[in-house]
Amino acid sequence: MDDNLLKPVPEVTYLTSNIAWRYRAILRYFYLQHEQLRYYLFPEEVLEYLKESPHFADYTEENLQQDLNQLVNWKNLIPRQDTGKVYSIEDFKKKRFRYQCTPYTIEIERMVQRLEQMGQSFGGSLEKTFFIRILEALLKLTPDTGEDIYRKINKLSNEELNMVWDDLQGNFKNLTENAADYLAYLQSEKIEEMMMTEAFLAYKDALTEYLRNFMTVLQRTSFRIEVLLERIPAELIELIAGRLADHYLSIPRLEEQPSRDKLVQNYLLQWQGFKNWFLGREGRDGDLVFLQNATTETIRRITRFAQRLGERHHNFKSRRRDYLHLAEWFNRCRDLKEAHKLSACVFGVFHSRHLYAGVKETENIYAEIWHEKPTELTLKPRVRTYREKTKTGAVESHQEEKQQLLEQYLREKETEQRLIDQIIQGDRIVPAELPQIDPFIRKTLLNWIGKCMTNPQLTGKTENGRLIRLSLIDDREITLRSPDGDLRMPNYLIQFLN
């Protein structure tokens, strides 16, 4: 654990003080002026600003000086003596100070301002363009098939490489933070209450379409990103981290800079966190899977809410006009018999008889029922004590039939295994190089590919327990030919690991 985590942060004390309203007003003015590139302020400027508010009507110069001194003690302000307009030794002894915000204070005020604008609800969004930008940044770092792993990186200067890295990590950070906030927003109690109102039906389609578009781009790009992450070797990332550290150290800074090894380690940790988010680690699914599941569950929840609202709206709908129209029909009936017929058509037969007939012997649609042979039924007594008579039978042995079926099954499996062994070249199967294959082999290959794609490491096991790995050779499509048809599929490679 880092020792800095155990130290207090005095810079945030002003937010919880008894007179926090005074300290916050002072530091907010310093922050606003800092954003306008005015870094040093005199006490009289601050006092003039505070006096504009009725809350500081009785605020004096002595109060301001006490507050400024306290903020200096909490390391929120840095005092600097102004010696530019001194005309006597007495003026110099008065120590007229200018004050500047510390970097901690600027970041704290920036965070507080964002919290004020955020309100009590989550923000965020599910921007599908983040995945596209991450994929574009990875393509700039990933060597092409058959290309030297260092060739593409050597074409980029340290500054260009830093820009690609910032784009990659920045888009990744925005993706994770915005997605987490938006899903938390949709699952908040306030939004659930709004989903129970009739007004939610107007936004249901737009919201569902928004989530589905995000899921479509996620599924389309995440697989390519995972393939690229598997393709990038560790030594290439170490080279990139070293060049990024050199670029950081090349920027002139007056304060003490961290060591190169520490910077390289930080970049490697950033890459490992990015890779684990997509691929997972130690057999666990990555956070990408959790994001996909959470988005899918949100779509289902929205659909359920909309369905319940529709059902409730339908139940509460008045059918008064329908009943009046139906009453007019009955009123026009000439007698009771005609009214009974109308009732049977509208409401159905009240006392219907259930008739049973056996299997129809003819397919002639014009055959009448009385032309068919009658069906004989044996009626059983409806009493609890009635039991049918049973006759004990002998136990028959089907051992020979079982043995024949087992031998037939083993022969089929042996034949299928020989077909598979014929297409294995060394320890791999390249579908693009296969001739016309049996439909059974095609079904087996697709089954293996499906098992590998459900695993973040793109590995799986065959029916015989052999471990296989799936990899993408290039982006072109191949044709897998069989007697019953052709199948177009990506150019995969299946490798046996044991």
Side-chain angles (χ1 to χ4, degrees):
M1 181 181 292
D2 192 355
D3 293 339
N4 292 327
L5 296 176
L6 307 178
K7 297 179 181 179
V9 184
E11 286 86 352
V12 297
T13 308
Y14 78 94
L15 294 174
T16 57
S17 173
N18 294 332
I19 52 174
W21 60 279
R22 287 161 53 173
Y23 298 136
R24 290 195 60 188
I26 294 172
L27 292 182
R28 179 56 60 89
Y29 181 67
F30 271 92
Y31 167 72
L32 295 176
Q33 296 303 311
H34 177 87
E35 294 294 306
Q36 299 177 12
L37 305 181
R38 294 188 65 223
Y39 305 119
Y40 292 97
L41 300 178
F42 289 101
E44 51 267 25
E45 297 180 63
V46 180
L47 183 62
E48 182 180 357
Y49 167 76
L50 296 177
K51 283 291 187 179
E52 296 177 358
S53 173
H55 299 288
F56 292 87
D58 300 331
Y59 196 66
T60 62
E61 187 176 352
E62 290 77 11
N63 299 137
L64 175 62
Q65 194 60 50
Q66 292 176 3
D67 294 342
L68 293 176
N69 293 338
Q70 184 59 58
L71 292 173
V72 170
N73 294 334
W74 286 335
K75 300 179 182 180
N76 294 112
L77 295 177
I78 302 174
R80 175 171 294 186
Q81 187 175 2
D82 183 25
T83 59
K85 297 181 181 180
V86 177
Y87 300 102
S88 64
I89 297 177
E90 295 297 330
D91 292 339
F92 183 79
K93 289 181 179 181
K94 290 181 180 180
K95 294 183 179 180
R96 188 167 181 265
F97 287 102
R98 298 181 300 171
Y99 294 88
Q100 179 189 16
C101 271
T102 60
Y104 264 44
T105 305
I106 294 299
E107 291 301 325
I108 291 171
E109 281 297 314
R110 187 171 289 140
M111 177 193 68
V112 172
Q113 191 177 48
R114 287 200 303 266
L115 293 176
E116 293 171 353
Q117 296 173 355
M118 182 184 301
Q120 298 298 322
S121 62
F122 291 96
S125 61
L126 294 178
E127 292 295 336
K128 56 188 179 182
T129 56
F130 286 140
F131 281 103
I132 301 175
R133 296 173 188 171
I134 290 174
L135 179 60
E136 292 174 351
L138 275 178
L139 289 173
K140 297 179 181 178
L141 302 177
T142 309
D144 298 328
T145 304
E147 184 184 20
D148 180 51
I149 61 175
Y150 303 105
R151 182 178 179 183
K152 182 175 288 187
I153 300 301
N154 292 334
K155 292 180 181 179
L156 301 175
S157 63
N158 288 355
E159 185 176 1
E160 293 172 340
L161 188 60
N162 185 72
M163 291 177 60
V164 175
W165 186 269
D166 287 343
D167 290 341
L168 178 65
Q169 295 296 330
N171 289 319
F172 173 65
K173 180 181 178 182
N174 291 333
L175 168 65
T176 54
E177 291 180 353
N178 290 345
D181 290 346
Y182 190 73
L183 292 176
Y185 162 76
L186 292 180
Q187 295 178 4
S188 61
E189 183 178 357
K190 180 180 179 181
I191 297 302
E192 287 191 357
E193 293 177 355
M194 295 177 62
M195 287 182 180
M196 300 301 295
T197 61
E198 300 291 339
F200 170 70
L201 292 175
Y203 300 97
K204 183 261 298 182
D205 293 337
L207 182 58
T208 306
E209 184 68 18
Y210 178 73
L211 295 176
R212 285 176 178 168
N213 289 338
F214 175 77
M215 283 293 298
T216 302
V217 177
L218 183 150
Q219 294 172 348
R220 186 186 307 147
T221 59
S222 61
F223 177 73
R224 296 188 61 188
I225 292 175
E226 292 174 1
V227 173
L228 293 177
L229 291 177
E230 290 284 356
R231 186 186 299 176
I232 298 179
E235 54 269 21
L236 180 61
I237 298 301
E238 293 177 359
L239 172 64
I240 294 174
R243 292 185 57 184
L244 293 173
D246 294 337
H247 175 73
Y248 182 87
L249 295 175
S250 66
I251 301 175
R253 291 181 175 86
L254 299 180
E255 68 271 9
E256 182 180 359
Q257 298 195 29
S259 63
R260 185 179 185 275
D261 293 340
K262 186 175 181 180
L263 289 173
V264 171
Q265 188 64 26
N266 290 337
Y267 287 122
L268 291 178
L269 289 176
Q270 289 180 10
W271 175 259
Q272 191 61 40
F274 172 75
K275 187 176 180 180
N276 292 340
W277 195 88
F278 281 94
L279 301 181
R281 62 176 179 177
E282 299 178 357
R284 299 179 181 177
D285 293 332
D287 292 338
L288 175 66
V289 178
F290 294 104
L291 175 61
Q292 185 173 356
N293 294 338
T295 308
T296 304
E297 181 60 29
T298 302
I299 295 176
R300 292 175 181 170
R301 202 159 55 91
I302 292 173
T303 306
R304 287 197 300 267
F305 275 116
Q307 183 179 2
R308 292 173 186 172
L309 282 176
E311 292 176 353
R312 186 174 64 180
H313 180 72
H314 179 74
N315 292 336
F316 290 156
K317 182 181 179 181
S318 176
R319 304 193 64 181
R320 181 172 178 271
R321 294 183 178 178
D322 297 339
Y323 292 140
L324 289 176
H325 184 68
L326 192 59
E328 292 179 359
W329 282 6
F330 280 97
N331 187 41
R332 289 198 294 267
C333 292
R334 294 187 297 270
D335 51 24
L336 185 59
K337 184 177 181 180
E338 185 177 355
H340 282 314
K341 293 180 180 180
L342 178 60
S343 175
C345 295
V346 176
F347 303 110
V349 182
F350 288 97
H351 305 287
S352 60
R353 291 174 177 264
H354 298 277
L355 303 178
Y356 174 82
V359 179
K360 192 175 181 181
E361 295 182 358
T362 178
E363 296 297 331
N364 186 6
I365 61 174
Y366 300 105
E368 301 293 343
I369 190 171
W370 45 81
H371 295 157
E372 299 290 332
K373 294 181 179 180
T375 302
E376 296 182 1
L377 294 178
T378 302
L379 300 179
K380 300 178 182 179
R382 296 185 179 182
V383 293
R384 296 182 181 180
T385 57
Y386 173 75
R387 294 290 184 273
E388 291 186 8
K389 294 182 180 180
T390 58
K391 183 178 180 181
T392 305
V395 177
E396 298 180 3
S397 176
H398 302 280
Q399 186 63 30
E400 295 181 0
E401 297 179 4
K402 294 180 181 178
Q403 186 64 29
Q404 293 177 0
L405 291 175
L406 178 60
E407 293 176 357
Q408 180 182 357
Y409 174 77
L410 293 177
R411 286 196 300 269
E412 292 177 356
K413 286 298 179 183
E414 185 178 354
T415 304
E416 294 172 354
Q417 186 61 39
R418 284 200 301 268
L419 292 175
I420 295 177
D421 293 339
Q422 293 175 0
I423 65 173
I424 299 178
Q425 302 175 1
D427 61 345
R428 60 181 59 191
I429 297 176
V430 184
E433 299 176 359
L434 296 178
Q436 189 179 39
I437 60 175
D438 190 86
F440 162 74
I441 298 180
R442 180 191 61 203
K443 181 179 179 181
T444 303
L445 293 179
L446 292 178
N447 185 24
W448 292 352
I449 292 173
K451 288 182 179 180
C452 294
M453 293 183 66
T454 58
N455 192 314
Q457 283 75 32
L458 296 180
T459 58
K461 285 188 177 181
T462 65
E463 292 78 4
N464 297 331
R466 299 189 64 181
L467 186 63
I468 58 174
R469 175 182 292 166
L470 179 70
S471 58
L472 187 66
I473 298 177
D474 50 41
D475 294 335
R476 66 188 182 92
E477 286 189 349
I478 63 170
T479 302
L480 201 61
R481 304 188 182 278
S482 300
D484 58 348
D486 298 338
L487 171 67
R488 296 189 62 83
M489 59 180 288
N491 192 12
Y492 287 126
L493 168 66
I494 300 176
Q495 183 177 6
F496 292 87
L497 303 181
N498 59 357

